[in-house]
Amino acid sequence: MLNKKSIDDINVKGKRVLVRCDFNVPMMNGEITDVNRLVQALPTIKKLIADGGKVILCSHLGKPKGEPKPELSLAPVAVRLAELLAQPVVFASDDTVVGENAKAAVAAMKDGDVVLLQNTRYRVEETKNVEAFSKDLASLADIFVNDAFGTAHRAHCSNVGITNFVEDSVVGYLMQKEIDFLGNAVNNPVRPFVAILGGAKVSDKLAVIDNLLDKVDTLIIGGGMAYTFLKAQGYEIGLSLLDAEKMDYCLDMMKKAKEKGVSLLLPIDTVVAQEFKNDTPFKTVGLGEIEADWEGLDIGEKTREIFVNAVKDAKTVVWNGPMGVSEFDNFAKGTLAVAEALAKIEGTTIIGGGDSAAAVNKLGYGDKMTHISTGGGASLEFLEGKVLPGVAAANDK
Ligand code: AMP
């Protein structure tokens, strides 16, 4: 079990604390359209303020690819954060992230003050984990706190490199929550333990299927990735998504499930259409009945019933990836049925991945889930059993 030092284990009074947050918020015309990520960061920031730290925040936003892009400036984040914290947040607007503004702002800080640095990905070194930028960041701080789970599967300057040049590196509350929920689900699940995987590509989730088969009682596979399993068994899938090179792998996984006594559930009917859009005629067909110029875009009604039944008595459920093209209302029914089923169960429900989280929130079931992970890719790699560099870089207790 991971036992990382957290902000509860350190004394930050009078110290300069650099916090790597995930302020990668959706923006439209310079306005933040969803403040959820800012709200989630508040407990850690408030704790550090209350403890008398000098709180320096940093994050990436979008993909400026190493160049200053005004539309990806974190300036609007500073404004909203100040409102949410009900105290000033000084924005250090340096295109080099650690420039004259940042240095002066940090030098002027009193205990409990907050400074926000510019988008870390304005610096080309950030995503390459180049020492120069890690050292620049570290020059502003005594202690480093990582609270950005969404980037924990990547080794960048602002979450991994910096830890080599500061006194101490610990995790924040948000990161701790992710480690606890995901770690417990995988290592100590209350049974029955059911995993539900969906989404577009088998290849993205290969390793996780293999790893989960060692742990779960039931594995449900829906969404675009299911058709490769169906084709591998000889069923016609028309124009549905296919990962042709992965068919043997799918058969291996089915064999492994059988050997392990894991119930592997695949769709038995499919909602098909001839065009990839919402407003197009659709119908439901059975296994092997997808005609040549039709494409499977959602699980059918019978499959919905089977999947819903399979999670009904579960005590731990991990879900990643939609059951169909959930962005289109006509093909979102499978995803919605699963979301509804999870909202009803009494066990622990953990949602990873943007699309499944969006479906859960759209239905208003967000607060019925035990944990909605802030990291799609990171949560998948965690479930695969991989060591996440951003987590590993924090010091142990
Ligand atoms: P992922 O990023 O792998 O979780 O995939 C999410 C995407 O999978 C969403 O954009 C869905 O629209 C897409 N998806 C799910 N089911 C299907 C399907 N049957 N055909 C095509 N795309 C799908």
Side-chain angles (χ1 to χ4, degrees):
M1 229 11 222
L2 288 164
N3 207 5
K4 292 292 169 186
K5 231 174 173 181
S6 89
I7 50 174
D8 284 332
D9 302 314
I10 53 172
N11 181 0
V12 297
K13 175 91 185 120
K15 302 230 166 170
R16 299 169 306 159
V17 189
L18 182 73
V19 191
R20 173 56 156 102
C21 299
D22 180 359
F23 294 151
N24 187 25
V25 287
M27 305 271 292
M28 186 98 75
N29 305 324
E31 297 277 329
I32 299 169
T33 55
D34 181 353
V35 292
N36 185 39
R37 287 198 160 142
L38 307 188
V39 172
Q40 300 228 39
L42 295 178
T44 292
I45 300 172
K46 284 183 174 169
K47 158 83 175 159
L48 295 169
I49 293 171
D51 287 354
K54 294 173 178 157
V55 186
I56 306 151
L57 307 172
C58 72
S59 173
H60 77 285
L61 172 62
K63 292 181 177 161
K65 304 218 163 111
E67 280 173 34
K69 295 240 167 71
E71 67 278 16
L72 295 176
S73 164
L74 282 176
V77 169
V79 175
R80 290 307 299 270
L81 261 185
E83 286 164 18
L84 292 165
L85 288 168
Q87 81 168 66
V89 172
V90 174
F91 181 57
S93 175
D94 291 311
D95 285 351
T96 52
V97 187
V98 184
E100 292 316 310
N101 291 317
K103 286 176 194 164
V106 170
M109 287 177 97
K110 293 198 272 311
D111 294 356
D113 280 354
V114 180
V115 166
L116 173 65
L117 304 182
Q118 184 53 285
N119 189 342
T120 51
R121 290 194 192 165
Y122 274 17
R123 285 281 289 262
V124 72
E125 302 102 313
E126 162 72 331
T127 55
K128 301 186 175 92
N129 197 11
V130 176
E131 210 173 90
F133 183 41
S134 302
K135 281 184 171 162
D136 277 356
L137 286 168
S139 72
L140 298 177
D142 305 303
I143 294 173
F144 174 67
V145 176
N146 191 355
D147 214 18
F149 184 71
T151 49
H153 57 316
R154 304 275 178 253
H156 294 168
C157 295
S158 68
N159 70 337
V160 173
I162 182 172
T163 61
N164 294 318
F165 307 106
V166 286
E167 267 172 37
D168 206 355
S169 299
V170 306
V171 296
Y173 288 141
L174 192 53
M175 190 78 140
Q176 185 71 56
K177 204 165 98 182
E178 296 276 6
I179 297 171
D180 288 348
F181 277 116
L182 293 168
N184 266 331
V186 193
N187 300 318
N188 260 328
V190 183
R191 292 181 184 280
F193 178 15
V194 180
I196 309 168
L197 294 179
K201 282 206 250 130
V202 180
S203 42
D204 283 358
K205 292 172 191 174
L206 287 181
V208 80
I209 294 173
D210 201 355
N211 186 269
L212 284 172
L213 282 175
D214 293 327
K215 313 201 181 242
V216 299
D217 302 296
T218 301
L219 178 61
I220 295 175
I221 296 183
M225 63 189 291
Y227 302 105
T228 303
F229 280 86
L230 300 181
K231 178 83 175 172
Q233 294 171 81
Y235 295 114
E236 280 315 317
I237 60 163
L239 299 175
S240 309
L241 281 184
L242 174 67
D243 227 333
E245 286 167 16
K246 297 297 180 293
M247 290 200 286
D248 285 343
Y249 172 85
C250 290
L251 294 175
D252 287 348
M253 289 300 107
M254 295 182 77
K255 193 163 151 243
K256 177 169 178 179
K258 209 172 207 164
E259 283 164 10
K260 294 244 159 199
V262 173
S263 161
L264 176 63
L265 301 178
L266 290 160
I268 60 157
D269 59 354
T270 301
V271 180
V272 293
Q274 286 183 294
E275 283 187 272
F276 191 84
K277 58 182 191 186
N278 187 58
D279 296 316
T280 184
F282 57 88
K283 61 183 180 182
T284 304
V285 299
L287 262 188
E289 290 173 5
I290 306 179
E291 296 154 77
D293 50 352
W294 290 70
E295 176 180 7
L297 296 181
D298 195 7
I299 54 173
E301 202 176 318
K302 288 187 189 139
T303 305
R304 292 206 298 262
E305 212 176 299
I306 292 172
F307 288 5
V308 165
N309 254 320
V311 296
K312 190 164 96 256
D313 299 317
K315 288 286 181 291
T316 306
V317 183
V318 173
W319 179 23
N320 188 301
M323 296 291 101
V325 185
S326 54
E327 298 93 326
F328 301 152
D329 284 349
N330 282 336
F331 306 104
K333 296 188 191 98
T335 304
L336 298 188
V338 167
E340 204 164 53
L342 293 202
K344 284 187 189 142
I345 74 163
E346 282 174 12
T348 303
T349 43
I350 295 174
I351 318 297
D355 294 292
S356 8
V360 163
N361 284 325
K362 188 169 153 190
L363 263 184
Y365 290 139
D367 59 356
K368 295 241 165 37
M369 303 299 162
T370 316
H371 180 62
I372 299 185
S373 176
T374 51
S379 67
L380 260 189
E381 293 200 11
F382 202 111
L383 295 174
E384 278 171 37
K386 280 194 191 159
V387 177
L388 307 186
V391 177
N395 290 325
D396 291 325
K397 270 193 190 172

